[in-house]
Amino acid sequence: MAHQAHSYHMVDPSPWPIFGAAAALLTTSGLIMWFHYSSMYLLTLGLLSMLLVMLQWWRDVVREGTFQGHHTPTVQKGLRYGMILFITSEAFFFLGFFWAFFHSSLAPTPELGGLWPPTGIKPLNPLEVPLLNTAILLASGVTVTWAHHSITEGNRKQAIHALTLTILLGFYFTALQAMEYHEASFSIADGVYGSTFFVATGFHGLHVIIGSSFLTVCLLRLIKFHFTSNHHFGFEAAAWYWHFVDVIWLFLYMTIYWWGS
Amino acid sequence: MSLRALARYGVARSRLGVLLRQASQSGAGGPLGARVPAAATMYYKFNGFTQRLVGAAASAAYNPQGLKPIVSTESPALIFGTTTKLASDLPAAGSFLGKNKVPDLQKLFQKADGLPVHLKRGVPDKLLYRTTMALTIGGTIYCLVALYMASQPRNQK
């Protein structure tokens, strides 16, 4: 290999962008076929190929970073900016749902009975399971920080324990939210209260599941010795994402669950 | 390669100092060379955010990525008195949850065989890649046919 006199990453030609685009076409067209003809054929094909592309693309990023040493400080800086911008865009995505909630709740229309929660809606008690969920997410924020400190100190065993605990807390949260949804006396079709409640908390739940998967990948990489005490950006990105999900929950809890009830 | 580029790769100040001193001896003695103390014992690394050199431990300066296990260049902590070590305190023969295969994988993935990263591991990679290719290309053709049929009028008399 020729000597490289700069610290940027010159990537190999990759099939994943075009295959990913094709998988997106199959998934969206698959949804159309499902809605119009109740045929799940194309949708299944789309989701399967999407999953394969995601697995292989991220596997290659791990190969480039951990096994080929392409993630120099310069490249890591780009990854950091990318993750910061991604999380910022997600923050604005949630801002939209909060906007819809406040638009409907600050000046309730006569159709809602002129009050919030609207007439006939029995909201969930914020001091029961939602408070427990708040405690769970705050605790998981502590354990993920514990895992980070263990990694920087080179204590792999304790990092594995702390990260496992974080992931378990994440799944406990998801299980409790699923139970709450099952028990709720209102549905997503129950007017603007149900819509704003289930869309905002539902997208948050989706992000918790994504964050838990991200942390699980980090746990597997930690077990496989991929992280060193001063180079573990994959873990840091997952921890940033996890804290972001945590903060969004605090806003959801304060506004929709507590003030909104 | 410029000195700045050397610093970017985390070259220790001691080595930079040698280069600078050589430069100052061969030339008229630049302003940079004058600032290097005779016994350079400090180490620097390149900070990606501030774009400046910042102080660092010797290990970080020699191995900015922290990928390779290094021989410690720092003096070990002083031991005052002796302690008896219990057998249970000694590190176990095998490490916790499997052993480190990263160095072997680094050798495998850095082999100069001309293969792109997505095919570097051989047959399993090729199988996965071809499966994905078949699904996406086949799916796209099927999808276009399905969309064409769906665009036709439902009842033709």
Side-chain angles (χ1 to χ4, degrees), chain A residues 52-112:
Chain A
L52 280 169
V53 170
M54 288 198 295
L55 283 173
Q56 289 171 97
W57 197 334
W58 276 318
R59 177 206 66 189
D60 287 355
V61 175
V62 171
R63 286 178 176 184
E64 290 160 351
T66 309
F67 303 143
Q68 299 187 321
H70 284 305
H71 290 182
T72 61
T74 315
V75 173
Q76 281 185 62
K77 193 174 136 193
L79 293 173
R80 262 164 220 280
Y81 277 129
M83 196 65 200
I84 289 167
L85 287 172
F86 170 62
I87 291 178
T88 308
S89 75
E90 292 266 85
F92 282 105
F93 177 78
F94 276 99
L95 183 76
F97 298 133
F98 281 108
W99 193 295
F101 170 74
F102 282 117
H103 174 90
S104 313
S105 61
L106 283 172
T109 58
E111 288 87 341
L112 300 176

Side-chain angles (χ1 to χ4, degrees), chain B residues 98-114:
Chain B
K99 62 183 213 303
N100 190 353
K101 281 186 247 158
V102 171
D104 301 332
L105 288 164
Q106 285 176 334
K107 249 173 247 155
L108 172 76
F109 282 102
Q110 289 178 29
K111 209 165 31 173
D113 52 9

Side-chain angles (χ1 to χ4, degrees), chain A residues 1 3-8 12-16 19 22-23 25-26 29 32-33 36-37 39 41-42 45 48-49 52-53 56 59-60 63-69 71-74 76-77 80-81 84 156-157 160-161 223-226 228 230-231, chain B residues 1 5 8-9 46 48-49 51 59-60 63-67 95-102 105-107 109-110 112 115-121 124-125 128-133 135-144 146-147 149-151 154:
Chain A
M1 199 178 122
H3 180 69
Q4 182 180 312
H6 59 80
S7 54
Y8 295 93
D12 285 339
S14 167
W16 310 131
F19 286 180
L25 171 77
L26 299 189
S29 307
I32 292 171
M33 294 299 153
H36 283 266
Y37 303 99
S39 155
Y41 219 67
L42 202 54
L45 195 63
L48 180 68
S49 47
L52 280 169
V53 170
Q56 289 171 97
R59 177 206 66 189
D60 287 355
R63 286 178 176 184
E64 290 160 351
T66 309
F67 303 143
Q68 299 187 321
H71 290 182
T72 61
T74 315
Q76 281 185 62
K77 193 174 136 193
R80 262 164 220 280
Y81 277 129
I84 289 167
R156 177 171 160 275
K157 192 171 176 178
I160 291 172
H161 290 158
I223 291 170
K224 287 172 173 290
F225 293 85
H226 286 198
T228 66
N230 59 353
H231 188 182
Chain B
M1 187 186 272
R8 187 177 285 257
Y9 284 118
F46 182 72
F49 269 118
Q51 301 283 315
S59 56
N63 275 298
Q65 297 296 298
L67 285 174
S95 60
F96 181 62
L97 289 178
K99 62 183 213 303
N100 190 353
K101 281 186 247 158
V102 171
L105 288 164
Q106 285 176 334
K107 249 173 247 155
F109 282 102
Q110 289 178 29
L115 285 174
V117 67
H118 68 281
L119 297 175
K120 204 89 177 165
R121 221 172 185 184
D125 279 359
L128 256 180
Y129 163 65
R130 297 230 167 134
T131 309
T132 314
M133 180 159 65
L135 278 176
T136 46
I137 293 176
T140 304
I141 295 164
Y142 174 83
C143 173
L144 292 176
L147 286 174
M149 278 161 61
S151 70
R154 222 172 271 182

Side-chain angles (χ1 to χ4, degrees), chain B:
Chain B
M1 187 186 272
S2 69
L3 289 178
R4 185 183 163 82
L6 280 173
R8 187 177 285 257
Y9 284 118
V11 173
R13 161 106 179 249
S14 56
R15 274 180 62 201
L16 265 180
V18 169
L19 290 166
L20 288 167
R21 255 176 274 132
Q22 283 171 349
S24 63
Q25 278 160 9
S26 58
L32 271 170
R35 269 192 257 144
V36 179
T41 49
M42 287 178 72
Y43 294 92
Y44 290 84
K45 68 176 179 189
F46 182 72
N47 185 312
F49 269 118
T50 60
Q51 301 283 315
R52 284 163 196 273
L53 288 179
V54 292
S59 56
Y62 280 113
N63 275 298
Q65 297 296 298
L67 285 174
K68 279 182 276 179
I70 52 138
V71 181
S72 176
T73 46
E74 270 140 30
S75 52
L78 294 175
I79 299 164
F80 299 102
T82 50
T83 49
T84 316
K85 206 145 203 187
L86 294 171
S88 59
D89 288 344
L90 294 168
S95 60
F96 181 62
L97 289 178
K99 62 183 213 303
N100 190 353
K101 281 186 247 158
V102 171
D104 301 332
L105 288 164
Q106 285 176 334
K107 249 173 247 155
L108 172 76
F109 282 102
Q110 289 178 29
K111 209 165 31 173
D113 52 9
L115 285 174
V117 67
H118 68 281
L119 297 175
K120 204 89 177 165
R121 221 172 185 184
V123 180
D125 279 359
K126 219 182 225 170
L127 268 174
L128 256 180
Y129 163 65
R130 297 230 167 134
T131 309
T132 314
M133 180 159 65
L135 278 176
T136 46
I137 293 176
T140 304
I141 295 164
Y142 174 83
C143 173
L144 292 176
V145 172
L147 286 174
Y148 176 77
M149 278 161 61
S151 70
Q152 299 302 307
R154 222 172 271 182
N155 300 314
Q156 278 185 324
K157 285 178 187 170

